[in-house]
Amino acid sequence: MTDKKKGKQRRNEEEKPTKEEYAIAKYLRFNLPVREGKLHGMEVKCFFGNAAVDKLMESKWSASKNKKDPLFTNRQSCVAYMV
């Protein structure tokens, strides 16, 4: 019984992503090339992390496009954001 209560508390404590986070996720989803394969009999789609970082560095949230308030200034900031 205690496990059920802990699970319910954990769901309530989770934060919802912001609109900006949704926008970045949508941008990556529709602009990254994906590879399809099978994992334990299930069909899966995946992407390479270095391609995601490259795409974020070219996006409107990077320092090269957004001079006033960039979200991503270098590759390490992209990786930290995605983690």
Side-chain angles (χ1 to χ4, degrees), residues 13-77:
E13 293 174 1
E14 290 180 10
E15 295 180 16
K16 290 188 178 183
T18 64
K19 289 183 181 182
E20 186 176 62
E21 291 170 340
Y22 273 119
I24 292 170
K26 187 175 179 181
Y27 175 79
L28 289 176
R29 179 177 178 226
F30 291 111
N31 291 309
L32 280 178
V34 295
R35 293 190 75 187
E36 296 181 8
K38 289 195 173 196
L39 181 66
H40 299 290
M42 297 183 338
E43 290 186 16
V44 294
K45 293 181 181 180
C46 64
F47 61 89
F48 290 107
N50 61 350
V53 171
D54 291 340
K55 194 58 83 169
L56 286 176
M57 291 304 295
E58 299 169 359
S59 70
K60 66 180 182 181
W61 297 283
S62 69
S64 62
K65 303 274 177 137
N66 188 356
K67 300 293 183 191
K68 289 186 179 181
D69 189 25
L71 187 59
F72 307 117
T73 55
N74 54 20
R75 295 182 68 84
Q76 289 82 13
S77 65

